[in-house]
Coordinates of all heavy atoms in Angstrom, one line a residue:
M1206 N -17.8 -20.6 -0.2 CA -17.6 -19.7 1.0 C -16.2 -19.2 1.0 O -16.0 -18.0 1.3 CB -17.9 -20.5 2.3 CG -17.8 -19.6 3.5 SD -19.1 -20.0 4.6 CE -18.1 -20.2 6.1
G1207 N -15.2 -19.9 0.7 CA -13.8 -19.4 0.6 C -13.7 -18.3 -0.3 O -12.9 -17.3 0.0
Y1208 N -14.4 -18.3 -1.4 CA -14.3 -17.2 -2.4 C -14.8 -15.9 -1.8 O -14.2 -14.9 -2.0 CB -15.1 -17.6 -3.7 CG -15.0 -16.5 -4.7 CD1 -13.8 -16.3 -5.5 CD2 -16.1 -15.7 -5.0 CE1 -13.8 -15.4 -6.4 CE2 -16.0 -14.7 -6.0 CZ -14.9 -14.6 -6.7 OH -14.8 -13.6 -7.7
K1209 N -15.9 -16.0 -1.1 CA -16.5 -14.8 -0.5 C -15.5 -14.2 0.5 O -15.3 -13.0 0.6 CB -17.8 -15.1 0.2 CG -18.9 -15.3 -0.8 CD -20.3 -15.5 -0.1 CE -21.3 -15.7 -1.2 NZ -22.6 -15.9 -0.5
N1210 N -14.9 -15.1 1.3 CA -13.9 -14.6 2.3 C -12.7 -14.0 1.6 O -12.2 -13.0 2.1 CB -13.4 -15.8 3.2 CG -14.5 -16.2 4.2 OD1 -15.4 -15.5 4.5 ND2 -14.3 -17.4 4.6
K1211 N -12.3 -14.5 0.5 CA -11.1 -13.9 -0.3 C -11.5 -12.5 -0.8 O -10.7 -11.6 -0.6 CB -10.7 -14.8 -1.4 CG -9.5 -14.3 -2.2 CD -9.1 -15.2 -3.3 CE -7.9 -14.6 -3.9 NZ -7.5 -15.4 -5.1
I1212 N -12.7 -12.4 -1.3 CA -13.1 -11.0 -1.8 C -13.1 -10.1 -0.6 O -12.7 -9.0 -0.7 CB -14.4 -11.1 -2.5 CG1 -14.3 -11.8 -3.9 CG2 -15.0 -9.7 -2.8 CD1 -15.6 -12.1 -4.6
K1213 N -13.7 -10.5 0.5 CA -13.8 -9.6 1.6 C -12.4 -9.2 2.1 O -12.2 -8.1 2.4 CB -14.6 -10.3 2.7 CG -14.8 -9.5 3.9 CD -15.7 -10.1 5.0 CE -15.9 -9.2 6.1 NZ -16.6 -9.9 7.2
T1214 N -11.5 -10.2 2.2 CA -10.1 -9.8 2.6 C -9.5 -8.9 1.7 O -8.8 -7.9 2.1 CB -9.3 -11.1 2.7 OG1 -9.9 -12.0 3.7 CG2 -7.9 -10.8 3.2
E1215 N -9.6 -9.1 0.4 CA -9.1 -8.1 -0.6 C -9.6 -6.7 -0.4 O -8.9 -5.7 -0.4 CB -9.3 -8.6 -2.0 CG -8.5 -9.8 -2.5 CD -9.0 -10.3 -3.8 OE1 -9.7 -9.6 -4.5 OE2 -8.5 -11.4 -4.2
D1216 N -10.9 -6.7 -0.2 CA -11.6 -5.4 0.0 C -11.1 -4.7 1.3 O -10.9 -3.5 1.3 CB -13.1 -5.5 0.1 CG -13.7 -5.9 -1.3 OD1 -13.1 -5.7 -2.3 OD2 -14.9 -6.4 -1.3
I1217 N -10.9 -5.5 2.4 CA -10.4 -4.9 3.6 C -9.0 -4.4 3.4 O -8.7 -3.3 3.9 CB -10.4 -6.0 4.7 CG1 -11.9 -6.4 5.1 CG2 -9.6 -5.6 5.9 CD1 -12.0 -7.6 6.0
I1218 N -8.2 -5.1 2.8 CA -6.8 -4.7 2.6 C -6.7 -3.4 1.7 O -6.0 -2.5 2.0 CB -5.9 -5.8 2.0 CG1 -5.7 -6.9 3.2 CG2 -4.6 -5.3 1.5 CD1 -4.9 -8.1 2.7
K1219 N -7.5 -3.4 0.6 CA -7.5 -2.2 -0.2 C -8.0 -1.0 0.5 O -7.5 0.1 0.3 CB -8.2 -2.5 -1.5 CG -7.4 -3.5 -2.4 CD -8.1 -3.7 -3.7 CE -7.2 -4.7 -4.5 NZ -7.7 -5.0 -5.9
S1220 N -9.0 -1.2 1.3 CA -9.6 -0.1 2.1 C -8.5 0.4 3.1 O -8.4 1.6 3.3 CB -10.8 -0.6 2.9 OG -11.2 0.4 3.8
E1221 N -7.7 -0.5 3.7 CA -6.7 -0.1 4.7 C -5.6 0.6 3.9 O -5.0 1.6 4.5 CB -6.1 -1.4 5.4 CG -7.1 -2.0 6.4 CD -6.6 -3.3 7.0 OE1 -5.6 -3.9 6.5 OE2 -7.2 -3.7 7.9
I1222 N -5.3 0.2 2.7 CA -4.2 0.9 1.9 C -4.7 2.3 1.7 O -4.0 3.3 1.9 CB -4.0 0.2 0.6 CG1 -3.2 -1.1 0.8 CG2 -3.2 1.1 -0.4 CD1 -3.1 -2.1 -0.4
T1223 N -5.9 2.5 1.2 CA -6.5 3.8 0.9 C -6.5 4.7 2.2 O -6.1 5.8 2.2 CB -7.9 3.7 0.3 OG1 -7.8 2.9 -0.9 CG2 -8.5 5.1 0.1
K1224 N -6.9 4.1 3.3 CA -7.0 4.8 4.6 C -5.6 5.3 5.0 O -5.4 6.5 5.3 CB -7.5 3.9 5.7 CG -7.6 4.6 7.0 CD -8.2 3.7 8.1 CE -8.4 4.3 9.4 NZ -7.3 4.1 10.3
H1225 N -4.6 4.4 4.9 CA -3.2 4.8 5.2 C -2.7 6.0 4.3 O -2.1 6.9 4.8 CB -2.3 3.6 5.2 CG -0.8 4.0 5.4 ND1 -0.4 4.5 6.7 CD2 0.2 4.1 4.6 CE1 0.9 4.8 6.6 NE2 1.3 4.5 5.3
L1226 N -2.9 5.8 3.0 CA -2.4 6.8 2.1 C -3.2 8.2 2.3 O -2.5 9.2 2.3 CB -2.7 6.4 0.6 CG -1.7 5.3 0.2 CD1 -2.1 4.8 -1.2 CD2 -0.3 5.7 0.2
N1227 N -4.4 8.1 2.7 CA -5.2 9.3 3.0 C -4.6 10.0 4.2 O -4.6 11.2 4.3 CB -6.7 9.1 3.1 CG -7.3 8.8 1.8 OD1 -6.8 9.1 0.7 ND2 -8.5 8.2 1.8
E1228 N -4.2 9.2 5.2 CA -3.6 9.8 6.4 C -2.3 10.5 6.2 O -2.0 11.5 6.9 CB -3.3 8.7 7.4 CG -4.6 8.1 8.0 CD -4.4 6.9 8.9 OE1 -3.2 6.4 9.0 OE2 -5.4 6.4 9.5
I1229 N -1.5 10.1 5.1 CA -0.3 10.8 4.9 C -0.4 11.7 3.6 O 0.7 12.3 3.2 CB 0.9 9.8 4.7 CG1 0.7 8.8 3.5 CG2 1.1 9.0 6.0 CD1 1.9 8.0 3.2
S1230 N -1.6 11.9 3.1 CA -1.8 12.8 2.0 C -1.9 14.2 2.3 O -2.6 14.6 3.3 CB -3.0 12.3 1.3 OG -3.3 13.2 0.2
K1231 N -1.1 15.0 1.6 CA -1.2 16.5 1.8 C -1.3 17.1 0.4 O -0.7 18.1 0.1 CB 0.0 17.0 2.5 CG 0.1 16.5 3.9 CD 0.5 17.6 4.9 CE 0.5 17.1 6.3 NZ 0.3 18.1 7.2
I1232 N -2.1 16.4 -0.5 CA -2.2 16.8 -1.8 C -2.8 18.2 -1.9 O -3.8 18.5 -1.2 CB -3.1 15.8 -2.6 CG1 -2.4 14.5 -2.7 CG2 -3.5 16.4 -4.0 CD1 -3.2 13.3 -3.2
G1233 N -2.2 19.1 -2.7 CA -2.7 20.5 -2.8 C -1.9 21.4 -1.9 O -2.0 22.6 -2.1
E1234 N -1.2 20.9 -1.0 CA -0.3 21.7 -0.1 C 1.1 21.8 -0.7 O 1.5 21.0 -1.6 CB -0.2 21.1 1.3 CG -1.6 21.1 2.0 CD -1.5 20.6 3.4 OE1 -0.4 20.8 4.0 OE2 -2.4 20.1 3.9
S1235 N 1.8 22.8 -0.3 CA 3.1 23.1 -0.9 C 4.2 22.2 -0.3 O 4.4 22.3 0.9 CB 3.5 24.5 -0.7 OG 4.9 24.7 -1.0
R1236 N 4.8 21.3 -1.1 CA 5.9 20.4 -0.6 C 7.1 21.3 -0.2 O 7.8 21.0 0.8 CB 6.3 19.4 -1.7 CG 7.4 18.5 -1.2 CD 7.7 17.5 -2.3 NE 8.2 18.0 -3.5 CZ 9.5 18.2 -3.8 NH1 10.4 18.0 -3.0 NH2 9.8 18.7 -5.0
H1237 N 7.3 22.3 -1.0 CA 8.5 23.2 -0.8 C 8.3 23.9 0.6 O 9.3 24.1 1.3 CB 8.7 24.2 -1.9 CG 8.9 23.5 -3.2 ND1 10.1 22.8 -3.5 CD2 8.2 23.3 -4.3 CE1 10.1 22.3 -4.7 NE2 8.9 22.6 -5.2
E1238 N 7.1 24.4 0.9 CA 6.9 25.0 2.2 C 7.0 24.0 3.3 O 7.6 24.4 4.3 CB 5.5 25.7 2.2 CG 5.1 26.3 3.5 CD 6.0 27.5 3.9 OE1 6.7 28.1 3.0 OE2 6.0 27.9 5.0
A1239 N 6.5 22.8 3.1 CA 6.7 21.8 4.2 C 8.1 21.5 4.4 O 8.5 21.3 5.6 CB 5.9 20.5 3.8
K1240 N 8.9 21.4 3.3 CA 10.3 21.1 3.5 C 11.0 22.3 4.2 O 11.9 22.0 5.1 CB 11.0 20.9 2.1 CG 10.7 19.6 1.5 CD 11.2 19.5 0.1 CE 12.7 19.4 0.1 NZ 13.3 19.1 -1.3
R1241 N 10.6 23.5 3.9 CA 11.2 24.7 4.5 C 11.0 24.7 6.0 O 11.9 25.0 6.8 CB 10.6 25.9 3.9 CG 11.3 27.2 4.4 CD 10.7 28.5 3.8 NE 9.4 28.7 4.4 CZ 9.1 29.2 5.7 NH1 10.2 29.4 6.5 NH2 7.9 29.4 6.1
I1242 N 9.8 24.2 6.5 CA 9.6 24.2 7.9 C 9.8 22.8 8.6 O 9.6 22.6 9.7 CB 8.2 24.7 8.3 CG1 7.1 23.8 7.6 CG2 8.0 26.1 7.9 CD1 5.7 24.1 8.0
G1243 N 10.4 21.9 7.7 CA 10.8 20.6 8.3 C 9.7 19.6 8.4 O 9.8 18.7 9.3
E1244 N 8.6 19.7 7.7 CA 7.5 18.8 7.8 C 7.1 18.1 6.5 O 6.0 17.6 6.4 CB 6.2 19.6 8.3 CG 6.4 20.2 9.7 CD 5.2 20.9 10.2 OE1 4.2 21.0 9.4 OE2 5.2 21.4 11.3
A1245 N 8.0 17.9 5.6 CA 7.7 17.2 4.3 C 7.6 15.7 4.4 O 6.8 15.1 3.8 CB 8.8 17.6 3.3
S1246 N 8.4 15.1 5.2 CA 8.4 13.6 5.2 C 7.5 13.2 6.4 O 7.5 13.8 7.4 CB 9.9 13.2 5.5 OG 9.9 11.8 5.3
P1247 N 6.7 12.2 6.2 CA 6.6 11.2 5.2 C 5.4 11.4 4.3 O 4.7 10.5 3.9 CB 6.4 9.9 6.0 CG 5.5 10.4 7.2 CD 6.0 11.8 7.4
F1248 N 5.0 12.7 4.1 CA 3.8 13.0 3.4 C 3.8 12.9 1.9 O 4.9 13.0 1.3 CB 3.3 14.4 3.8 CG 3.1 14.5 5.3 CD1 4.0 15.2 6.1 CD2 2.0 13.9 5.9 CE1 3.8 15.2 7.5 CE2 1.8 13.9 7.3 CZ 2.7 14.6 8.1
I1249 N 2.7 12.8 1.3 CA 2.5 12.8 -0.2 C 1.9 14.1 -0.6 O 0.8 14.4 -0.1 CB 1.6 11.6 -0.6 CG1 2.3 10.2 -0.2 CG2 1.4 11.6 -2.1 CD1 1.3 9.0 -0.4
F1250 N 2.5 14.8 -1.5 CA 2.0 16.1 -2.0 C 1.4 16.0 -3.4 O 0.8 17.0 -3.8 CB 3.1 17.1 -1.9 CG 3.5 17.4 -0.4 CD1 4.5 16.6 0.1 CD2 2.9 18.3 0.3 CE1 4.9 16.8 1.5 CE2 3.2 18.5 1.6 CZ 4.2 17.8 2.2
S1251 N 1.7 15.0 -4.1 CA 1.3 14.9 -5.5 C 0.3 13.8 -5.8 O 0.4 12.6 -5.3 CB 2.5 14.6 -6.4 OG 2.2 14.1 -7.6
I1252 N -0.7 14.1 -6.5 CA -1.8 13.0 -6.8 C -1.1 11.9 -7.6 O -1.5 10.7 -7.4 CB -3.0 13.7 -7.6 CG1 -4.1 12.6 -7.7 CG2 -2.6 14.1 -9.0 CD1 -4.8 12.3 -6.4
K1253 N -0.2 12.2 -8.5 CA 0.5 11.1 -9.3 C 1.3 10.2 -8.3 O 1.3 9.0 -8.5 CB 1.4 11.7 -10.4 CG 0.6 12.3 -11.5 CD 1.5 12.7 -12.6 CE 0.6 13.2 -13.8 NZ 1.3 13.4 -15.0
T1254 N 1.9 10.8 -7.4 CA 2.7 9.9 -6.4 C 1.7 9.1 -5.6 O 1.9 7.9 -5.4 CB 3.5 10.8 -5.4 OG1 4.4 11.6 -6.2 CG2 4.2 10.0 -4.4
Y1255 N 0.6 9.7 -5.2 CA -0.5 9.0 -4.4 C -1.0 7.8 -5.2 O -1.0 6.7 -4.8 CB -1.6 9.9 -4.1 CG -2.8 9.3 -3.4 CD1 -2.9 9.4 -2.0 CD2 -3.8 8.6 -4.1 CE1 -4.0 8.8 -1.4 CE2 -4.9 8.0 -3.5 CZ -5.0 8.1 -2.1 OH -6.0 7.6 -1.5
E1256 N -1.3 8.0 -6.5 CA -1.8 7.0 -7.4 C -0.7 5.9 -7.6 O -1.1 4.7 -7.6 CB -2.3 7.5 -8.7 CG -3.5 8.4 -8.5 CD -3.9 9.2 -9.8 OE1 -3.1 9.2 -10.7 OE2 -5.0 9.8 -9.8
A1257 N 0.5 6.3 -7.8 CA 1.6 5.3 -8.0 C 1.8 4.4 -6.8 O 1.9 3.2 -6.8 CB 2.9 6.0 -8.4
Y1258 N 1.8 5.0 -5.6 CA 1.9 4.3 -4.3 C 0.8 3.3 -4.1 O 1.0 2.2 -3.8 CB 2.0 5.2 -3.1 CG 3.3 6.0 -2.9 CD1 4.3 6.0 -3.9 CD2 3.5 6.6 -1.7 CE1 5.5 6.7 -3.6 CE2 4.7 7.3 -1.5 CZ 5.7 7.3 -2.5 OH 6.9 8.0 -2.2
K1259 N -0.4 3.8 -4.4 CA -1.6 3.0 -4.3 C -1.6 1.8 -5.2 O -1.8 0.6 -4.8 CB -2.9 3.8 -4.5 CG -4.1 3.0 -4.2 CD -5.4 3.8 -4.3 CE -6.6 3.0 -4.0 NZ -7.8 3.7 -4.2
E1260 N -1.2 2.0 -6.4 CA -1.1 0.9 -7.4 C -0.1 -0.1 -7.0 O -0.3 -1.3 -7.0 CB -0.8 1.4 -8.8 CG -0.8 0.3 -9.8 CD -0.5 0.8 -11.2 OE1 -0.6 2.0 -11.5 OE2 -0.1 -0.1 -12.1
T1261 N 1.1 0.4 -6.6 CA 2.2 -0.5 -6.2 C 1.8 -1.3 -4.9 O 2.0 -2.5 -4.9 CB 3.5 0.3 -5.9 OG1 3.8 1.0 -7.1 CG2 4.6 -0.6 -5.4
M1262 N 1.2 -0.7 -4.0 CA 0.8 -1.4 -2.8 C -0.3 -2.4 -3.0 O -0.3 -3.5 -2.4 CB 0.3 -0.4 -1.7 CG 1.4 0.5 -1.2 SD 0.8 1.8 -0.1 CE 0.4 0.9 1.4
E1263 N -1.2 -2.1 -4.0 CA -2.3 -3.1 -4.3 C -1.7 -4.3 -5.0 O -2.1 -5.4 -4.8 CB -3.4 -2.4 -5.1 CG -4.2 -1.5 -4.2 CD -5.3 -0.8 -5.0 OE1 -5.4 -0.8 -6.2 OE2 -6.2 -0.2 -4.3
V1264 N -0.7 -4.1 -5.9 CA -0.1 -5.2 -6.6 C 0.7 -6.1 -5.6 O 0.6 -7.3 -5.6 CB 0.9 -4.7 -7.7 CG1 1.8 -5.8 -8.2 CG2 0.1 -4.0 -8.8
F1265 N 1.4 -5.5 -4.7 CA 2.0 -6.2 -3.6 C 1.0 -7.0 -2.7 O 1.2 -8.1 -2.4 CB 2.9 -5.2 -2.7 CG 3.4 -5.8 -1.5 CD1 4.3 -6.9 -1.5 CD2 3.1 -5.3 -0.2 CE1 4.8 -7.5 -0.4 CE2 3.6 -5.8 0.9 CZ 4.5 -6.9 0.9
A1266 N -0.1 -6.3 -2.4 CA -1.1 -7.0 -1.6 C -1.7 -8.2 -2.3 O -1.9 -9.3 -1.7 CB -2.2 -6.0 -1.2
D1267 N -1.9 -8.0 -3.6 CA -2.5 -9.1 -4.4 C -1.5 -10.3 -4.4 O -1.9 -11.5 -4.3 CB -2.7 -8.7 -5.9 CG -4.0 -7.8 -6.0 OD1 -4.8 -7.8 -5.0 OD2 -4.1 -7.1 -7.0
Y1268 N -0.2 -10.0 -4.6 CA 0.8 -11.1 -4.5 C 0.7 -11.8 -3.2 O 0.7 -13.0 -3.1 CB 2.2 -10.5 -4.8 CG 3.3 -11.5 -4.4 CD1 3.7 -12.5 -5.2 CD2 3.9 -11.5 -3.1 CE1 4.6 -13.4 -4.9 CE2 4.8 -12.4 -2.7 CZ 5.2 -13.4 -3.6 OH 6.1 -14.3 -3.2
C1269 N 0.7 -11.0 -2.1 CA 0.7 -11.6 -0.8 C -0.6 -12.5 -0.6 O -0.5 -13.6 0.0 CB 0.8 -10.6 0.3 SG 2.4 -9.8 0.4
L1270 N -1.7 -12.0 -1.0 CA -3.0 -12.8 -0.9 C -2.9 -14.1 -1.6 O -3.4 -15.1 -1.1 CB -4.1 -11.9 -1.4 CG -4.6 -10.8 -0.4 CD1 -5.5 -9.9 -1.1 CD2 -5.2 -11.4 0.8
K1271 N -2.3 -14.1 -2.8 CA -2.2 -15.4 -3.5 C -1.1 -16.3 -2.9 O -1.4 -17.5 -2.8 CB -1.8 -15.1 -5.0 CG -2.9 -14.4 -5.8 CD -2.5 -14.1 -7.2 CE -3.6 -13.3 -7.8 NZ -3.1 -12.7 -9.1
A1272 N 0.0 -15.8 -2.5 CA 1.1 -16.6 -1.9 C 0.8 -17.0 -0.5 O 1.3 -18.0 0.0 CB 2.4 -15.9 -2.1
H1273 N 0.1 -16.1 0.2 CA -0.1 -16.3 1.7 C -1.6 -16.0 2.0 O -1.9 -15.0 2.5 CB 0.8 -15.4 2.5 CG 2.2 -15.6 2.2 ND1 3.0 -16.7 2.6 CD2 3.1 -14.9 1.3 CE1 4.2 -16.6 2.2 NE2 4.3 -15.6 1.4
P1274 N -2.5 -17.0 1.8 CA -3.9 -16.8 2.0 C -4.3 -16.4 3.5 O -5.4 -15.9 3.7 CB -4.6 -18.1 1.6 CG -3.5 -19.0 1.1 CD -2.2 -18.3 1.3
E1275 N -3.3 -16.7 4.4 CA -3.6 -16.3 5.8 C -3.6 -14.8 6.1 O -4.0 -14.4 7.1 CB -2.6 -17.1 6.7 CG -1.2 -16.6 6.7 CD -0.3 -17.1 5.5 OE1 -0.9 -17.8 4.6 OE2 0.9 -16.9 5.5
V1276 N -3.1 -14.0 5.1 CA -3.0 -12.6 5.2 C -4.4 -12.0 5.3 O -5.3 -12.4 4.5 CB -2.3 -12.0 4.0 CG1 -2.4 -10.5 4.0 CG2 -0.8 -12.3 4.1
K1277 N -4.6 -11.2 6.3 CA -6.0 -10.6 6.6 C -6.0 -9.1 6.6 O -7.0 -8.4 6.4 CB -6.6 -11.1 7.9 CG -6.7 -12.6 7.9 CD -7.7 -13.1 7.0 CE -7.8 -14.6 7.1 NZ -8.1 -15.3 5.8
H1278 N -4.8 -8.5 6.9 CA -4.7 -7.0 7.0 C -3.4 -6.5 6.5 O -2.4 -7.3 6.4 CB -4.8 -6.6 8.5 CG -6.1 -7.0 9.1 ND1 -7.3 -6.2 8.9 CD2 -6.5 -8.0 9.9 CE1 -8.3 -6.8 9.5 NE2 -7.9 -7.9 10.1
V1279 N -3.3 -5.2 6.2 CA -2.1 -4.6 5.7 C -0.9 -4.9 6.7 O 0.2 -5.1 6.2 CB -2.3 -3.1 5.5 CG1 -1.0 -2.4 5.3 CG2 -3.2 -2.8 4.3
S1280 N -1.2 -4.8 7.9 CA -0.1 -5.1 8.9 C 0.5 -6.4 8.8 O 1.6 -6.7 9.2 CB -0.7 -4.9 10.3 OG -1.7 -5.8 10.6
D1281 N -0.2 -7.4 8.1 CA 0.3 -8.7 7.9 C 1.3 -8.8 6.8 O 2.0 -9.8 6.6 CB -0.8 -9.7 7.6 CG -1.8 -9.9 8.8 OD1 -1.4 -9.6 9.9 OD2 -3.0 -10.2 8.5
L1282 N 1.4 -7.8 5.9 CA 2.1 -7.8 4.7 C 3.6 -7.5 4.9 O 4.4 -8.0 4.1 CB 1.6 -6.8 3.7 CG 0.1 -6.9 3.3 CD1 -0.3 -5.8 2.4 CD2 -0.2 -8.3 2.7
K1283 N 4.0 -6.8 5.9 CA 5.4 -6.3 6.1 C 6.4 -7.4 6.0 O 7.4 -7.3 5.4 CB 5.5 -5.5 7.4 CG 6.8 -4.9 7.6 CD 6.8 -4.0 8.8 CE 8.2 -3.3 9.0 NZ 8.2 -2.5 10.1
K1284 N 6.0 -8.6 6.6 CA 7.0 -9.7 6.7 C 7.3 -10.3 5.3 O 8.2 -11.1 5.2 CB 6.6 -10.7 7.7 CG 5.2 -11.3 7.5 CD 4.8 -12.3 8.6 CE 3.4 -12.6 8.5 NZ 2.9 -13.3 9.7
Y1285 N 6.5 -9.9 4.3 CA 6.7 -10.5 3.0 C 7.3 -9.6 2.0 O 7.5 -9.9 0.8 CB 5.3 -11.0 2.4 CG 4.7 -12.0 3.3 CD1 3.5 -11.7 4.0 CD2 5.2 -13.3 3.6 CE1 2.9 -12.7 4.8 CE2 4.7 -14.2 4.4 CZ 3.5 -13.9 5.0 OH 2.9 -14.8 5.9
V1286 N 7.8 -8.5 2.4 CA 8.4 -7.5 1.5 C 9.7 -8.1 0.8 O 9.8 -8.0 -0.4 CB 8.8 -6.2 2.2 CG1 9.6 -5.3 1.3 CG2 7.5 -5.5 2.7
S1287 N 10.6 -8.7 1.6 CA 11.8 -9.3 1.0 C 11.5 -10.4 0.0 O 12.0 -10.5 -1.1 CB 12.7 -9.8 2.0 OG 13.2 -8.8 2.8
E1288 N 10.5 -11.2 0.4 CA 10.1 -12.3 -0.5 C 9.5 -11.7 -1.8 O 9.8 -12.2 -2.9 CB 9.0 -13.1 0.2 CG 8.4 -14.2 -0.7 CD 7.2 -14.9 0.0 OE1 7.3 -15.2 1.2 OE2 6.2 -15.1 -0.6
Y1289 N 8.7 -10.7 -1.7 CA 8.1 -10.0 -2.9 C 9.2 -9.4 -3.8 O 9.2 -9.6 -5.0 CB 7.1 -9.0 -2.5 CG 6.5 -8.3 -3.7 CD1 5.6 -9.0 -4.6 CD2 6.7 -6.9 -3.9 CE1 5.0 -8.3 -5.6 CE2 6.1 -6.3 -5.0 CZ 5.3 -7.0 -5.8 OH 4.7 -6.3 -6.9
V1290 N 10.2 -8.8 -3.2 CA 11.3 -8.2 -4.0 C 12.1 -9.3 -4.7 O 12.4 -9.1 -5.9 CB 12.2 -7.4 -3.1 CG1 13.5 -7.0 -3.8 CG2 11.5 -6.1 -2.5
D1291 N 12.3 -10.4 -4.0 CA 13.0 -11.5 -4.7 C 12.1 -12.1 -5.9 O 12.6 -12.4 -6.9 CB 13.2 -12.6 -3.7 CG 14.3 -12.3 -2.7 OD1 15.1 -11.4 -3.0 OD2 14.4 -13.0 -1.6
H1292 N 10.8 -12.1 -5.6 CA 9.9 -12.6 -6.7 C 10.0 -11.7 -7.9 O 10.0 -12.2 -9.0 CB 8.5 -12.6 -6.1 CG 7.4 -12.8 -7.1 ND1 7.2 -14.1 -7.7 CD2 6.5 -12.0 -7.7 CE1 6.2 -13.9 -8.6 NE2 5.8 -12.7 -8.6
I1293 N 10.0 -10.4 -7.7 CA 10.0 -9.4 -8.8 C 11.4 -9.6 -9.6 O 11.4 -9.6 -10.8 CB 9.9 -8.0 -8.3 CG1 8.4 -7.8 -7.9 CG2 10.2 -7.0 -9.4 CD1 8.2 -6.5 -7.2
R1294 N 12.4 -9.7 -8.8 CA 13.8 -9.9 -9.5 C 13.9 -11.1 -10.3 O 14.6 -11.2 -11.3 CB 14.9 -9.9 -8.4 CG 15.1 -8.6 -7.8 CD 16.3 -8.7 -6.8 NE 16.5 -7.5 -6.1 CZ 17.1 -7.3 -4.9 NH1 17.4 -8.4 -4.2 NH2 17.2 -6.1 -4.4
N1295 N 13.2 -12.2 -9.9 CA 13.2 -13.5 -10.6 C 12.2 -13.6 -11.8 O 12.2 -14.6 -12.4 CB 13.1 -14.6 -9.6 CG 14.2 -14.7 -8.6 OD1 15.3 -14.4 -9.0 ND2 13.9 -15.0 -7.4
E1296 N 11.4 -12.6 -12.0 CA 10.4 -12.7 -13.1 C 11.1 -12.5 -14.4 O 12.1 -11.9 -14.6 CB 9.4 -11.6 -12.9 CG 8.3 -12.0 -11.9 CD 7.1 -11.0 -11.9 OE1 7.3 -9.8 -12.3 OE2 6.0 -11.5 -11.6

């Protein structure tokens, strides 16, 4: 039963990551035009940037799920950022 819950939690978190990235995605729009009118940040204008952010966030989420099984949502991950950075530095 624990295994099914872990898969479900991973799926929930990955879905939340995708949802958040989609909310800030402006792929296909002009970043230069957005900067000109002061609306460039915090949006993503490049598919490569979108994919890089998604991969990085999923790796971070996987680390958190292994180190902190109590994590259930993306909002639970923020408090582990410093720990994760230290983990990467010590690898």
Side-chain angles (χ1 to χ4, degrees):
M1206 184 139 128
Y1208 181 74
K1209 287 183 180 181
N1210 287 340
K1211 183 176 181 188
I1212 291 174
K1213 185 176 180 186
T1214 300
E1215 288 175 9
D1216 290 344
I1217 289 168
I1218 290 176
K1219 288 182 181 184
S1220 174
E1221 290 174 348
I1222 288 169
T1223 300
K1224 181 179 182 264
H1225 175 69
L1226 288 173
N1227 288 340
E1228 288 171 356
I1229 62 171
S1230 175
K1231 296 225 177 203
I1232 295 170
E1234 296 184 27
S1235 171
R1236 178 177 63 91
H1237 298 290
E1238 179 62 19
K1240 284 174 70 174
R1241 189 183 70 73
I1242 61 174
E1244 295 181 359
S1246 189
F1248 300 105
I1249 299 171
F1250 295 90
S1251 162
I1252 189 70
K1253 287 187 179 193
T1254 300
Y1255 178 96
E1256 290 169 352
Y1258 283 13
K1259 185 174 181 183
E1260 181 179 345
T1261 300
M1262 291 172 74
E1263 287 179 352
V1264 169
F1265 170 59
D1267 288 341
Y1268 165 82
C1269 289
L1270 285 167
K1271 288 177 187 166
H1273 303 282
E1275 70 277 9
V1276 167
K1277 302 293 182 214
H1278 297 279
V1279 168
S1280 59
D1281 300 332
L1282 303 178
K1283 187 175 182 177
K1284 60 186 166 189
Y1285 301 115
V1286 171
S1287 294
E1288 175 185 317
Y1289 179 67
V1290 170
D1291 290 341
H1292 169 75
I1293 291 173
R1294 285 183 182 155
N1295 293 325
E1296 281 190 331

